[in-house]
């Protein structure tokens, strides 16, 4: 993990009710070709504006790439 990523994650932990740090982190991941960025954006967007299509995409991503999306948690 880079220092930059650690700082982004620290912002998320320090503001648990704020989606903005998560969205910044999602963009950072996407810029690096990491599909977790899309997953984070989809989750936030779905919970703001629920849709069956978004929920289906989230589930497809989980089934296809669980270990990648879960990272160290897997």
């Amino acid at each position: 993990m880079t220092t930059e990523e650690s700082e982004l994650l620290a912002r998320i932990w320090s503001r648990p009710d704020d989606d903005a740090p998560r969205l910044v982190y999602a963009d950072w991941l996407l810029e690096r070709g990491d599909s977790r960025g899309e997953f984070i954006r989809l989750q936030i967007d779905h919970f703001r504006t629920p849709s069956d299509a978004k929920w289906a995409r989230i589930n497809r991503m989980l089934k296809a790439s669980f270990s990648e999306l879960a990272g160290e948690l897997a």
Side-chain angles (χ1 to χ4, degrees):
M1 182 178 305
T2 66
T3 301
E4 185 178 10
E5 185 174 16
S6 294
E7 290 170 358
L8 290 167
L9 291 171
R11 286 186 210 139
I12 290 169
W13 282 101
S14 71
R15 295 165 52 189
D17 295 329
D18 187 357
D19 288 336
R22 286 178 184 76
L23 292 170
V24 170
Y25 183 54
D27 288 343
W28 185 86
L29 290 168
L30 286 168
E31 289 169 4
R32 284 148 186 79
D34 190 323
S35 64
R36 292 177 299 161
E38 179 187 1
F39 186 74
I40 292 166
R41 283 201 156 278
L42 271 170
Q43 284 184 312
I44 291 170
D45 190 37
H46 172 70
F47 288 106
R48 287 180 175 175
T49 311
S51 115
D52 290 341
K54 289 177 220 170
W55 187 246
R57 175 72 179 136
I58 289 166
N59 283 313
R60 281 193 308 274
M61 289 183 79
L62 276 173
K63 288 176 185 171
S65 306
F66 177 75
S67 60
E68 180 186 349
L69 292 169
E72 293 176 16
L73 296 175

